Amino acid sequence: MRPPCGSLFPLIILKKTRRFHLFVPANSSETVKDLLKRHAITHEVLLANPNELIEMQTRNDSTDPRSSSTFYERYHSLEDVCFKYQILATQRLNRDNPDTVKVILIGSSFEKRPLYVLKLSVNNRPNKKAMWIDCGIHAREWISPAFCLWFVQYSLSFYQSNKDITHILDNMDVYILPVLNPDGYHYTWTTNRMWRKNRSTNMSTKCVGVDLNRNFDANWCTEGASDHPCSEIYCGAFPESEPETQAVADFLRSHKDIVQIYFSIHSYSQMLLFPYSCTLEEAENHSELLEMVKEAAQKIQRHYRNIYKYGSGANTIYLAPGGSDDWAYKLGIKYSFTFELQDRGRYGFLLPPSDISKACNEALLAVKTIALKVDAKTQAPTTPA
Ligand code: 9B3
Ligand code: ZN
Ligand code: ZN
């Protein structure tokens, strides 16, 4: 079995050449340091006081008029995110399009929170294709919901002034699910900042939560997932056992003829991934997908001097079944991607708010690059005006 991003895992799986991040409870840090020393494993303490960082990231949620950062450069509680989306839903991209932002309820979470999708649509040209972006499937990856907000805000602000986003929105609708795992996200704000899974409970175990990115029907619960409910990568009782998974899967199934591009946003480690993760086999259009993420990574490097790895999931990060991108790909969405945003482990999931704008702009550049490439390849013949 291989580790999920950034989780505490037994040391036996460490490779000699690989760096690894451990989260250690403060009261056992000396013991762990001792152990590492005795086994001649070199280590450094990256974050001596994560609680201070966590406090900093949650404190600035309120709209402090003295703060120099914008709403989009801070992290927000679930309630604030919801509220913001209600406001955004009343906005329009231009005067000719009163109904450019629509809120669609696609289901509810285990704890009965609504799952809202935002639809951006600037014209109602028939047979328009669409792009899907989901954020926040893993609760502790806070930069992910921040990106979804960033994307919506960018689209509403720069439609008709930035030529790339204009071209994209003129040619496709965008469906955005800002927080796929609202129960988990809420829990990271109130109780445990490092929570990953959803919050579903089950009579047969005391452990809470299913890893929603192991719960999709793609080689479900094979190597790289766990059938133990206490595991961080627990696959659930059966594929789509979770209401969050089911809501997304149902929505995409009923829109599969129009959705051409699928993005799922995670953190951390800076990678642009595509199927498969659930097998070492190559996807049918592997070279096409590789070309796209390579171009996106090169652009990020040129514009932001930051390195993103790219490739198929199984080859680039680890073999893992049951993920949403593989499932969407098998459904027929041939341009399917998972992005792992900043950073590479300095702060990990605790990326400081001051890094939000750069992290989001990098991801935005990658989304735009790929969307434009797909659009150029799949241009539906339009009737001349
Ligand atoms: C995992 C899977 Cl199963 C997939 N299909 N694509 C990406 C990943 C990586 C993320 C995960 O769920 O472990 C990184 Se947080
Ligand atoms: Zn993740
Ligand atoms: Zn085009």
Side-chain angles (χ1 to χ4, degrees):
M1 195 188 295
R2 298 174 202 204
C5 36
S7 289
L8 182 56
F9 243 69
L11 287 173
I12 31 172
I13 54 159
L14 297 187
K15 278 198 211 135
K16 261 190 188 159
T17 52
R18 219 174 135 182
R19 286 174 65 93
F20 222 84
H21 303 140
L22 297 177
F23 298 126
V24 180
N27 58 8
S28 41
S29 77
E30 287 310 313
T31 324
V32 172
K33 276 192 227 166
D34 260 15
L35 260 168
L36 292 172
K37 239 179 249 156
R38 254 193 286 146
H39 292 86
I41 300 169
T42 53
H43 71 275
E44 79 188 285
V45 178
L46 289 172
L47 291 176
N49 196 351
N51 289 338
E52 210 169 275
L53 263 175
I54 293 172
E55 219 267 306
M56 223 179 62
Q57 303 187 347
T58 46
R59 186 179 40 206
N60 65 11
D61 185 45
S62 60
T63 341
D64 180 354
R66 284 161 305 179
S67 157
S68 62
S69 62
T70 67
F71 179 89
Y72 299 94
E73 292 165 319
R74 281 177 264 134
Y75 294 113
H76 298 283
S77 66
L78 189 64
E79 290 74 13
D80 281 22
V81 172
C82 282
F83 185 65
K84 191 67 178 183
Y85 273 93
Q86 306 294 339
I87 294 175
L88 287 171
T90 66
Q91 301 196 354
R92 46 182 74 174
L93 288 178
N94 61 10
R95 254 170 296 132
D96 317 327
N97 292 287
D99 300 316
T100 44
V101 190
K102 259 179 42 185
V103 178
I104 307 167
L105 181 69
I106 64 158
S108 57
S109 67
F110 185 85
E111 292 172 350
K112 300 286 177 256
R113 290 189 175 85
L115 297 171
Y116 291 120
V117 165
L118 235 59
K119 180 185 179 186
L120 301 184
S121 183
V122 295
N123 57 43
N124 29 26
R125 227 183 53 203
N127 308 320
K128 236 161 95 201
K129 296 295 185 187
M131 161 162 92
W132 165 281
I133 307 174
D134 61 61
C135 293
I137 194 169
H138 287 140
R140 63 193 173 192
E141 299 164 8
W142 281 11
I143 187 64
S144 170
F147 173 74
C148 267
L149 272 171
W150 191 274
F151 182 88
V152 174
Q153 162 69 8
Y154 180 85
S155 299
L156 293 172
S157 309
F158 293 101
Y159 177 69
Q160 287 180 331
S161 62
N162 174 279
K163 73 173 185 348
D164 291 343
I165 198 69
T166 306
H167 186 91
I168 290 166
L169 290 168
D170 278 341
N171 288 286
M172 56 182 108
D173 293 338
V174 187
Y175 293 96
I176 298 143
L177 174 51
V179 189
L180 195 154
N181 174 12
D183 301 347
Y185 189 68
H186 185 258
Y187 192 71
T188 60
W189 273 81
T190 57
T191 316
N192 178 358
R193 177 65 181 82
M194 286 300 164
W195 190 258
R196 166 177 166 103
K197 301 187 281 183
N198 77 347
R199 294 292 302 163
S200 74
T201 54
N202 186 308
M203 302 286 257
S204 58
T205 170
K206 273 194 289 210
C207 285
V208 176
V210 168
D211 182 348
L212 296 174
N213 212 33
R214 298 292 180 279
N215 192 235
F216 284 82
D217 197 1
N219 291 6
W220 179 78
C221 219
T222 51
E223 186 189 334
S226 167
D227 58 5
H228 198 286
C230 300
S231 164
E232 286 278 64
I233 49 171
Y234 175 46
C235 59
F238 51 88
E240 293 179 30
S241 59
E242 304 310 294
E244 298 88 353
T245 315
Q246 210 184 13
V248 171
D250 281 344
F251 184 88
L252 288 173
R253 268 191 289 265
S254 63
H255 292 74
K256 68 172 176 163
D257 295 335
I258 56 166
V259 177
Q260 273 182 325
I261 316 177
Y262 174 91
F263 288 110
S264 191
I265 309 297
H266 290 249
S267 74
Y268 59 92
S269 65
Q270 298 179 198
M271 293 178 183
L272 309 179
L273 308 171
F274 57 82
Y276 291 109
S277 291
C278 65
T279 165
L280 288 162
E281 265 167 55
E282 283 191 358
E284 166 263 317
N285 59 339
H286 178 93
S287 51
E288 195 184 15
L289 295 170
L290 185 65
E291 198 52 44
M292 291 178 171
V293 289
K294 181 179 171 192
E295 186 177 324
Q298 286 172 341
K299 282 202 183 165
I300 292 176
Q301 178 160 17
R302 233 178 295 135
H303 282 81
Y304 298 103
R305 307 255 154 248
N306 214 357
I307 307 280
Y308 278 65
K309 285 193 194 171
Y310 54 86
S312 74
N315 282 316
T316 313
I317 176 167
Y318 38 65
L319 192 64
S324 61
D325 54 353
D326 283 358
W327 176 83
Y329 185 83
K330 289 182 176 203
L331 182 69
I333 303 173
K334 290 296 167 199
Y335 302 101
S336 178
F337 305 88
T338 291
F339 288 177
E340 291 255 42
L341 309 196
Q342 282 190 30
D343 57 9
R344 274 151 87 188
R346 175 74 183 88
Y347 296 101
F349 304 118
L350 305 180
L351 190 72
S354 53
D355 292 334
I356 291 176
S357 74
K358 184 158 174 273
C360 288
N361 279 327
E362 290 170 354
L364 179 69
L365 181 56
V367 165
K368 289 200 295 186
T369 303
I370 291 172
L372 287 172
K373 287 208 106 176
V374 173
D375 173 76
K377 277 171 190 273
T378 57
Q379 195 58 265
T382 45
T383 34

Tab-separated table of all heavy atoms in Angstrom, residues 167 171 375-376 379, ligand 3:
chain	number	residue	atom	x	y	z
A	167	HIS	N	-12.891	33.591	-24.491
A	167	HIS	CA	-13.054	32.533	-25.489
A	167	HIS	C	-13.640	31.272	-24.852
A	167	HIS	O	-14.526	30.635	-25.407
A	167	HIS	CB	-11.702	32.217	-26.140
A	167	HIS	CG	-11.825	31.256	-27.270
A	167	HIS	ND1	-12.023	31.654	-28.568
A	167	HIS	CD2	-11.833	29.905	-27.287
A	167	HIS	CE1	-12.135	30.587	-29.342
A	167	HIS	NE2	-12.011	29.513	-28.600
A	171	ASN	N	-17.558	29.689	-25.448
A	171	ASN	CA	-17.710	28.387	-26.097
A	171	ASN	C	-18.147	27.255	-25.195
A	171	ASN	O	-18.499	26.187	-25.679
A	171	ASN	CB	-16.401	28.008	-26.796
A	171	ASN	CG	-16.189	28.848	-28.027
A	171	ASN	OD1	-16.851	28.640	-29.037
A	171	ASN	ND2	-15.319	29.843	-27.919
A	375	ASP	N	-10.922	22.903	-26.423
A	375	ASP	CA	-11.846	23.636	-27.280
A	375	ASP	C	-11.382	23.621	-28.728
A	375	ASP	O	-12.163	23.375	-29.646
A	375	ASP	CB	-11.967	25.088	-26.797
A	375	ASP	CG	-12.783	25.924	-27.769
A	375	ASP	OD1	-14.003	25.777	-27.772
A	375	ASP	OD2	-12.176	26.700	-28.537
A	376	ALA	N	-10.096	23.858	-28.945
A	376	ALA	CA	-9.569	23.892	-30.306
A	376	ALA	C	-9.694	22.523	-30.984
A	376	ALA	O	-9.939	22.430	-32.181
A	376	ALA	CB	-8.112	24.335	-30.290
A	379	GLN	N	-13.852	21.692	-31.521
A	379	GLN	CA	-14.727	22.770	-31.947
A	379	GLN	C	-15.952	22.221	-32.697
A	379	GLN	O	-15.840	21.637	-33.747
A	379	GLN	CB	-13.949	23.720	-32.852
A	379	GLN	CG	-14.609	25.047	-33.075
A	379	GLN	CD	-14.848	25.784	-31.757
A	379	GLN	OE1	-15.941	25.691	-31.200
A	379	GLN	NE2	-13.870	26.505	-31.265
B	3	ZN	ZN	-12.400	27.961	-29.794
